[in-house]
Amino acid sequence: MNSEIKQCFDNYPNTAQKKLIELRTLILSVAVDLKLGDVDECLKWGEPSYSVKTGSPIRIDWKPKHPENYFLFFNCQTKLIDTFRELYQDTLEFQGNRAIVLNINQPLPIAIITKCLTLALTYKKRKHLPLLGA
């Protein structure tokens, strides 16, 4: 974790920081498991952002305006959220066509989020498939 990213994580409240670090770890783990090469980790719009050559960028954040939630953001110009909504409408909460909303007091639904991350990190290979090949 570079110093800019570390400083960003250090600025989150403790509970949010733990959840976002768990999400960061999962993103990096999925990228390694899929053998996607280097993950570019940087700040975009003040939020930790993760991207690989085969995918669509992913950002994570917590907002003081919604202290009970943390967010997994995707490019709103993609079919990612529409696909996630179709697949997981009974399980996940969404914010428009840009984010999965996660509750800070609930366990991270690892299996479902792993599937979402897989689709996002391989988006360029899947974008032509119905439901992104899910």
Side-chain angles (χ1 to χ4, degrees):
M1 187 181 301
N2 70 41
S3 61
E4 185 179 56
I5 296 291
K6 184 179 179 336
Q7 182 179 358
C8 181
F9 277 102
D10 287 347
N11 288 331
Y12 292 120
N14 194 37
T15 304
Q17 183 184 96
K18 287 179 183 175
K19 291 293 192 172
L20 291 166
I21 288 173
E22 180 183 18
L23 201 48
R24 173 190 184 267
T25 302
L26 185 58
I27 292 167
L28 297 174
S29 174
V30 169
V32 167
D33 290 349
L34 295 173
K35 298 178 175 68
L36 298 177
D38 292 337
V39 177
D40 180 33
E41 180 179 36
C42 63
L43 290 182
K44 299 249 176 153
W45 300 285
E47 301 166 346
S49 175
Y50 303 87
S51 61
V52 295
K53 290 181 182 183
T54 58
S56 180
I58 300 166
R59 290 179 292 115
I60 62 176
D61 200 18
W62 171 88
K63 311 272 186 202
K65 188 174 180 180
H66 303 283
E68 70 284 354
N69 296 319
Y70 61 114
F71 302 87
L72 186 55
F73 293 102
F74 301 90
N75 183 326
C76 63
Q77 308 267 330
T78 67
K79 298 183 280 187
L80 288 165
I81 292 293
D82 290 339
T83 300
F84 303 155
R85 189 176 276 115
E86 183 72 23
L87 297 170
Y88 306 114
Q89 62 189 333
D90 296 333
T91 310
L92 295 176
E93 180 181 342
F94 301 94
Q95 183 182 74
N97 64 347
R98 64 187 215 121
I100 294 172
V101 180
L102 298 162
N103 186 305
I104 210 154
N105 298 309
Q106 300 291 323
L108 180 65
I110 292 176
I112 291 172
I113 296 300
T114 297
K115 290 177 185 177
C116 294
L117 294 173
T118 297
L119 294 177
L121 293 169
T122 58
Y123 183 76
K124 290 179 182 175
K125 295 178 179 181
R126 300 171 172 272
K127 63 184 175 182
H128 66 283
L129 300 172
L131 288 179
L132 304 177

